[in-house]
Amino acid sequence: MEKIQQILQLKQFIHTPNSLLKVKEKEMNNYLRQLHKENIITKQLFRQLSSNCSSLSCMYGQPKMHKQGYPLRPIISPIGSYNYELSKYLANLLKNNRTTKPNSSIRDPFDLVRKIKNINCNKNLIMCTFDVDALYTNVPAKEAIEIAVKDMIKSKTINNTPFNEIQLKRLLEIAVHNIPFRFMNDNFLQTDGVAMGSPLEPILADIFMTNLEKKLNRFSKNKPKVWYRYVDDIFCIFNSEQNITNVLEKKELKQLKLILKTNGYPDHIIRRGIREGAIIANKIIKKQQQQQQQQLLDNNNNNNNKTSPTPIKKKISLTVSYYGQESIILSGKTKKICKKLIPHIDVNVAFKKHLH
């Protein structure tokens, strides 16, 4: 309960004393009726999208079992709500009229494996993974709608729909703006972001992220070698020669802050994201420096301990006549002189009995 209450205290949610379901349902039906009267939509489509006796969307929390502390994922179930059919219709409309998917987009884990299996891995590559914090809740809905409609106008795919720019934008706003829902016995309104559970949630979030990637790609000079994204999870590879802290230079970082601020991200979320990114980058750089220092130390130790390989000595055997103690002294001096002058030769002296 405490975790879900913390989520409901975010600025995207407003507590309302009464349910606004009937008001929102009437507003949507009136606009659809207007489109029908103007012959923009057929009678069949009007009946499909309009709503009567709908139920209020319900929020529940889904624990993120893979994260420490098990934070909750807020889901607003829209099934049976007044704008559920409209959201499904618009989601299909956007998907079918989206001209191109970004190269960074990943469909599933198998698609990721296919794309990275041919990467030539070596010691000069650094892999990084990160994700967008609460993407759906933090997606600025107004900005995402503007981007989606402009893309359809630019590609002229809006001509495949029965709507013009103003009408399509208005329908999308009805589907995602100021959505009433309940948690327990309390009524709330989601004023921004895209409700997780809405049919429009995946497509609008992807359109927004794709547009943001285009903006970053436009001014980033220190680009990663590989950049792939699955919804809000990002996989990228840098060259070790790159200074990862300068992937976004100061000017670019300022531009990024401005973009996020314009898109409605609160200051504390922006600061947190940049701070956590800096921590990750510093850890990577510190690890690199430690590895370089260790490698330098190992090289110095190897140089200090390095000795010339001991040459294999050739053995020479000499046989001399034995005249007693004098012969032993002579052979000893001979071996000593040979060891000094020709150290790679090992001289062995053998004695033979002198025959008179």
Side-chain angles (χ1 to χ4, degrees):
M1 286 294 293
E2 291 180 2
K3 292 180 180 179
I4 204 75
Q5 290 295 341
Q6 289 176 358
I7 293 173
L8 290 171
Q9 289 175 6
L10 297 174
K11 72 169 190 175
Q12 293 93 332
F13 305 108
I14 296 176
H15 182 269
T16 58
N18 301 308
S19 171
L20 298 177
L21 173 62
K22 295 301 180 183
V23 176
K24 300 297 292 183
E25 184 179 62
K26 184 178 180 180
E27 178 187 348
M28 183 190 74
N29 286 338
N30 287 341
Y31 189 69
L32 291 172
R33 190 173 292 108
Q34 178 185 336
L35 294 177
H36 176 236
K37 287 181 179 179
E38 295 174 359
N39 294 322
I40 304 298
I41 60 175
T42 63
K43 186 176 183 179
Q44 181 182 359
L45 185 58
F46 169 71
R47 288 180 174 176
Q48 175 188 339
L49 302 181
S50 59
S51 172
N52 292 297
C53 302
S54 60
S55 59
L56 192 61
S57 298
C58 180
M59 173 186 264
Y60 64 92
Q62 185 182 67
K64 299 179 183 179
M65 305 302 293
H66 60 290
K67 292 191 176 181
Q68 187 176 7
Y70 308 119
L72 293 180
R73 182 183 288 111
I75 297 177
I76 300 176
S77 177
I79 298 175
S81 64
Y82 71 97
N83 62 355
Y84 181 60
E85 292 298 329
L86 176 63
S87 297
K88 284 202 302 183
Y89 172 78
L90 292 174
N92 289 327
L93 198 71
L94 293 179
K95 289 177 185 176
N96 295 333
N97 292 283
R98 194 176 182 188
T99 53
T100 56
K101 288 277 286 182
N103 294 330
S104 63
S105 179
I106 297 294
R107 292 194 307 273
D108 50 46
F110 302 102
D111 188 28
L112 176 63
V113 171
R114 282 192 294 270
K115 289 186 175 182
I116 67 174
K117 68 179 181 180
N118 294 325
I119 295 176
N120 185 18
C121 297
N122 55 64
K123 294 181 179 179
N124 295 325
L125 297 181
I126 299 174
M127 184 188 76
C128 300
T129 60
F130 50 93
D131 66 354
V132 181
D133 185 36
L135 172 63
Y136 299 129
T137 307
N138 288 321
V139 166
K142 185 176 180 180
E143 178 79 10
I145 290 172
E146 290 282 348
I147 295 167
V149 174
K150 284 182 179 179
D151 285 348
M152 291 181 67
I153 293 172
K154 187 176 180 180
S155 61
K156 297 183 179 180
T157 54
I158 196 170
N159 297 331
N160 301 331
T161 73
F163 312 110
N164 59 29
E165 177 184 356
I166 297 174
Q167 293 164 349
L168 181 58
K169 191 181 295 185
R170 178 61 181 146
L171 287 172
L172 286 167
E173 288 173 351
I174 291 173
V176 299
H177 276 178
N178 297 326
I179 305 302
F181 67 93
R182 68 176 179 85
F183 176 71
M184 303 296 284
N185 294 323
D186 294 326
N187 295 297
F188 295 89
L189 206 65
Q190 182 170 356
T191 59
D192 200 6
V194 184
M196 185 175 290
S198 168
L200 277 167
E201 156 231 317
I203 184 68
L204 283 179
D206 191 53
I207 288 172
F208 173 77
M209 287 297 297
T210 301
N211 184 71
L212 185 61
E213 286 174 341
K214 287 180 181 178
K215 289 182 179 180
L216 295 176
N217 195 47
R218 201 174 295 146
F219 57 71
S220 180
K221 298 177 183 178
N222 198 7
K223 300 175 185 177
K225 182 177 180 180
V226 173
W227 178 285
Y228 292 128
R229 176 178 57 84
Y230 177 73
V231 190
D232 61 344
D233 295 311
I234 297 168
F235 171 92
C236 56
I237 296 178
F238 293 89
N239 290 321
S240 60
E241 290 82 5
Q242 291 176 291
N243 187 348
I244 299 178
T245 55
N246 291 330
V247 172
L248 294 175
E249 298 175 352
K250 290 184 179 180
K251 182 179 178 181
E252 298 171 351
L253 192 58
K254 185 177 180 181
Q255 179 70 14
L256 177 60
K257 289 180 181 178
L258 180 61
I259 292 171
L260 296 175
K261 184 78 173 176
T262 304
N263 289 333
Y265 281 87
D267 291 337
H268 72 281
I269 293 293
I270 297 174
R271 289 195 300 270
R272 177 183 171 186
I274 293 174
R275 183 172 62 251
E276 291 181 354
I279 291 172
I280 294 172
N282 289 333
K283 284 183 179 179
I284 294 172
I285 291 172
K286 188 175 180 180
K287 186 175 181 181
Q288 283 181 332
Q289 291 174 345
Q290 289 175 347
Q291 290 175 345
Q292 291 173 355
Q293 290 175 357
Q294 185 63 40
Q295 186 176 3
L296 184 63
L297 184 62
D298 292 342
N299 291 338
N300 291 336
N301 291 336
N302 291 335
N303 291 334
N304 293 334
N305 297 330
K306 191 174 181 181
T307 57
S308 300
T310 304
I312 300 174
K313 291 186 177 183
K314 293 183 178 180
K315 293 184 178 182
I316 297 178
S317 297
L318 300 177
T319 303
V320 296
S321 298
Y322 181 71
Y323 292 101
Q325 188 67 26
E326 290 81 2
S327 298
I328 296 174
I329 295 172
L330 177 63
S331 65
K333 289 184 177 181
T334 303
K335 290 176 68 174
K336 191 178 290 186
I337 293 171
C338 290
K339 186 177 181 180
K340 185 176 181 180
L341 297 178
I342 43 177
H344 59 283
I345 293 178
D346 189 12
V347 178
N348 293 322
V349 179
F351 299 100
K352 67 177 180 178
K353 189 175 181 181
H354 177 67
L355 298 175
H356 295 282

